[in-house]
Amino acid sequence: MTTAAASSTTTTVKSTKKTNLLDHHSIKHILDEYVTEIVTSRGYTEDVKLSNTRLLLGTIIIVVALVAQFYPKKFPENKNFLIGSILIIYTKEKNAILFTHPLSGSFSSTGLVVSSKLPRFSDMYTLTIASADPKSISAKPPVEFTKSVTKWFTKDGVLVEGLFWKDVDGLINDYAREPKKSK
């Protein structure tokens, strides 16, 4: 009986998200991870098609790099081959952390593209929510906020999830609102 009670308490206790406040990469990683959690909890399902495409492109890039390494010609002669290899690397994604499908049962919306920025040597975190298909008739204008990460972390580096959840949830609500029609 004690093992059942112990296992039920371990499943209900959430682990706190702690980070090194001097490392902006780890701060951005924790915030991005939690944004994904919040958006998917709102009913949006992740679209992994682009992630799979990136993995395929990564594999192709590795093969191209191997071919370029052992290419019979040296640098000046294989310049066109190298330029073509570099062009393959460019992707649509840039700062995107999450692509979603439209809400299930919704015919008047597109999926979301959630992107974030945390510049080096800055504490200002920018979160943007935009339509996955900006040319669609049902696409809404993108919304974003820029706030200091110091609002969401304690001095020990623990994420205050409630405050961050409130800000991200508010941004999702702003995106979901119907735009005002001008007369």
Side-chain angles (χ1 to χ4, degrees):
M1 177 157 163
T2 57
T3 57
S7 67
S8 69
T9 53
T10 57
T11 57
T12 58
V13 174
K14 264 185 140 178
S15 65
T16 58
K17 294 178 179 15
K18 188 172 181 177
T19 187
N20 177 1
L21 292 177
L22 301 176
D23 180 12
H24 78 282
H25 289 295
S26 65
I27 292 171
K28 185 177 183 313
H29 178 74
I30 282 186
L31 293 175
D32 291 351
E33 190 177 284
Y34 202 58
V35 165
T36 301
E37 219 176 283
I38 294 168
V39 172
T40 54
S41 75
R42 293 281 304 257
Y44 290 95
T45 56
E46 186 173 359
D47 183 2
V48 295
K49 186 174 20 174
L50 191 63
S51 296
N52 292 342
T53 304
R54 282 184 63 207
L55 287 173
L56 178 66
L57 277 175
T59 304
I60 291 170
I61 289 168
I62 289 170
V63 169
V64 167
L66 284 172
V67 170
Q69 178 68 29
F70 299 110
Y71 198 69
K73 297 181 180 180
K74 293 298 174 200
F75 173 64
E77 294 93 33
N78 70 351
K79 186 169 47 172
N80 293 336
F81 180 75
L82 291 174
I83 290 172
S85 304
I86 292 169
L87 291 176
I88 292 174
I89 296 172
Y90 181 76
T91 61
K92 163 189 171 183
E93 183 170 335
K94 297 188 180 177
N95 294 322
I97 56 172
L98 178 67
F99 288 86
T100 70
H101 293 288
L103 286 171
S104 59
S106 173
F107 296 107
S108 63
S109 71
T110 63
L112 303 178
V113 176
V114 182
S115 56
S116 69
K117 288 185 233 173
L118 181 62
R120 193 169 182 195
F121 305 121
S122 174
D123 67 333
M124 301 306 286
Y125 180 78
T126 301
L127 185 67
T128 306
I129 298 178
S131 172
D133 184 11
K135 295 181 181 177
S136 169
I137 194 165
S138 60
K140 297 178 182 174
V143 294
E144 74 175 36
F145 71 68
T146 301
K147 294 189 178 181
S148 172
V149 296
T150 59
K151 294 180 63 153
W152 304 312
F153 286 96
T154 64
K155 290 180 183 178
D156 300 326
V158 177
L159 176 64
V160 182
E161 295 176 7
L163 291 175
F164 189 62
W165 183 287
K166 182 180 168 189
D167 288 341
V168 174
D169 201 44
L171 189 66
I172 296 169
N173 290 337
D174 288 347
Y175 179 80
R177 277 195 200 109
E178 290 296 321
K180 294 181 181 178
K181 295 182 181 179
S182 59
K183 292 183 179 182

